[in-house]
Structures are given as structure tokens and as C-alpha cells.
Amino acid sequence: MLEVETPKDLLPLVGRELGPTEWMTVDQAMIDKFAEATGDHQWIHVDVERARTEMPGGRTIAHGYLTLSLVPRMAATLMRVKKRSRGVNYGSNKVRFITPVQAGARIRLRQRIADVEEIEGGIRITSEMTVEIEGQPRPALVAETMGLSYT
């Protein structure tokens, strides 16, 4: 894990690669909870029996936005700013869902610090995030995310 004292200590770390994280299993229970929270009950996510016969690989797949929503959870294990008052999600410039994450698959995250800019009271960090799927040659998703970190 990369640890820095203050948000501004990230300024010289543009280009730094972090990770990978530990593997995390995306199981059917997680997919079902996400479906319940979002109202997205499309059968490809929640109908295990139908997926057995109609989906490639015979399993349901996680929502793309579920995979994206796991990025902050995994990223928190890659970097820590010791003296910061708060962090805020600033958004995403690009998000691409490359390979579906099947129920039961394990994923992990790699992060590259693409840019760090000073803002009033802190920094804005832009990161290239790549979520990998165990045993798959192509990633689940690639995203350029932005966050604010205040002193």
C-alpha cells in the first residue's frame, strides 16, 4: 500500500502504478443485492436457472455498474493519505465495460495515477483503473476516475 502524509504528497507521483489488490469474489448474493438496490432485475443478472442454458459459460453476470461500484472499495487498499480531512468522488471521464464478470468470478484492481492537480484546500487526482478477472486475458472494465482529497 502506498502511504503518504498529505494529499499534496501525491503531486510528484503521477505515473505511479499501484496494485494489484487482493482478489475479491463477485458471488450471486452480491449480484442479487445490487439488483435489489438498483431495481435492475434483468434475467442475465438474477435468473441462475435460465443463465445455465442461455448464457455463455452458463452463469449469470454482474451488472457493469456493480463492478464499477467495487472500484472504490478495492482502491482503498492501494493508497492511504494519513492527514486528510475528507475525500470526495469527483466523477469519471471514461468507463468501458470490456468483459462480463460471471457470478463466482474473482476480480482485482490495478491503479495508475494519471494526474494530480492542486485545488483550493487539497488536490484533484485522476486515476486509470483496471479491474481484472482471474483467468481472463481481457479486463472487466477500464475507467478514468477522479477524486478530490482535502487537507
Side-chain angles (χ1 to χ4, degrees):
M1 174 184 281
L2 171 67
E3 289 191 336
V4 296
E5 288 296 314
T6 69
K8 289 188 180 185
D9 292 334
L10 293 169
L11 286 165
L13 299 179
V14 172
R16 178 85 177 259
E17 302 220 6
L18 308 174
T21 63
E22 296 293 319
W23 291 107
M24 168 190 289
T25 301
V26 179
D27 61 18
Q28 189 62 48
M30 183 184 291
I31 294 168
D32 291 342
K33 287 178 186 174
F34 191 84
E36 193 59 36
T38 62
D40 182 351
H41 296 280
Q42 187 178 174
W43 74 267
I44 63 174
H45 305 304
V46 299
D47 192 334
V48 174
E49 294 305 316
R50 186 173 176 187
R52 277 196 184 109
T53 60
E54 295 184 39
M55 288 295 290
R59 291 188 278 168
T60 61
I61 60 172
H63 307 72
Y65 284 109
L66 167 57
T67 305
L68 180 61
S69 76
L70 295 171
V71 167
R73 178 175 168 180
M74 292 186 285
T77 70
L78 295 177
M79 179 172 49
R80 179 172 168 249
V81 179
K82 294 177 186 177
K83 296 178 182 170
R84 111 182 156 155
S85 64
R86 67 190 181 284
V88 179
N89 178 0
Y90 193 67
S92 300
N93 290 330
K94 300 175 191 173
V95 177
R96 297 292 181 266
F97 303 109
I98 309 297
T99 304
V101 176
Q102 293 183 325
R106 294 189 338 150
I107 62 171
R108 68 182 181 186
L109 178 70
R110 291 184 189 272
Q111 176 179 0
R112 188 179 83 75
I113 299 172
D115 193 25
V116 181
E117 304 167 84
E118 287 191 63
I119 60 170
E120 187 175 332
I123 56 107
R124 178 174 46 239
I125 182 171
T126 303
S127 295
E128 293 172 3
M129 303 294 202
T130 303
V131 176
E132 302 173 339
I133 308 168
E134 187 176 37
Q136 296 292 323
R138 292 172 36 102
L141 76 78
V142 292
E144 184 178 273
T145 64
M146 301 176 78
L148 307 177
S149 187
Y150 294 95
T151 51

